[in-house]
Amino acid sequence: MKLLVKRLEHAHDLAFPHYATQGSAGLDLMAAIEGELVLAPGKRAAVPTGIAIELPQCFEAQVRPRSGLALNHGVTCLNTPGTIDSDYRGEVKVILINHGEEPFRIARGMKIAQMVIAAHEHAVLFEVDALTESERGAGGFGSTGMTADVAAGKS
């Protein structure tokens, strides 16, 4: 699929979004900030990436955390995955939060998130008075238990 990417003026010197390896699912997104941004513990910020995109219909871009930032610093993305719709043309921004114990310094050009392109469909909705029964039923959060019954192949 073809993804149109516009590099914004404040990102002219930054690396273009790219897949780090042949097997990468996500494109690396860079911080297009002036200087440095310090994210204090418990604080969040919308960090600009310096790009705008044009996706084909029935595709979305999902903004996801980088595992190294999460594990090593406690920094992750809020609203994960963040969805960028095909009709959005503004700058892609990443909502970062610092769950760590120390301030986290974000430098210009730092890899801050990844963007995965995914196809989606629009569902046709039908209002009904009842739904068919299932084994799980209305059981919600935690209703399937915390351990797996290996002999029965159930969880």
Side-chain angles (χ1 to χ4, degrees):
M1 72 63 64
K2 184 176 170 182
L3 176 64
L4 304 180
V5 180
K6 179 180 178 182
R7 188 190 310 246
L8 303 177
E9 183 152 332
H10 61 279
H12 67 279
D13 60 329
L14 298 180
F16 201 65
H18 61 280
Y19 295 101
T21 67
Q22 194 67 20
S24 295
L27 295 151
D28 287 329
L29 296 176
M30 276 44 94
I33 55 175
E34 292 301 321
E36 185 178 83
L37 170 67
V38 178
L39 200 55
K43 298 300 181 185
R44 61 189 176 274
V47 181
T49 64
I51 63 165
I53 61 175
E54 182 175 334
L55 291 156
Q57 285 282 62
C58 296
F59 281 86
E60 66 166 325
Q62 299 173 359
V63 177
R64 299 181 181 185
R66 297 194 70 233
S67 58
L69 289 181
L71 177 63
N72 299 324
H73 305 284
V75 174
T76 190
C77 299
L78 286 177
N79 191 38
T80 300
T83 294
I84 301 168
D85 296 310
S86 65
D87 56 353
Y88 176 67
R89 297 292 185 271
E91 182 172 14
V92 173
K93 294 185 180 181
V94 177
I95 305 170
L96 291 179
I97 187 165
N98 183 355
H99 287 302
E101 298 171 4
E102 301 294 327
F104 181 74
R105 290 179 156 48
I106 302 167
R108 180 173 179 78
M110 178 185 282
K111 294 178 186 179
I112 56 169
Q114 56 186 327
M115 183 171 68
V116 174
I117 308 302
H120 70 81
E121 295 185 40
H122 276 188
V124 178
L125 307 181
F126 296 92
E127 186 172 358
V128 297
D129 293 326
L131 302 173
T132 59
E133 295 294 323
S134 72
E135 183 178 338
R136 184 174 185 172
F141 301 107
S143 66
T144 61
M146 295 288 288
T147 60
D149 180 355
V150 177
K154 295 182 178 182
S155 50

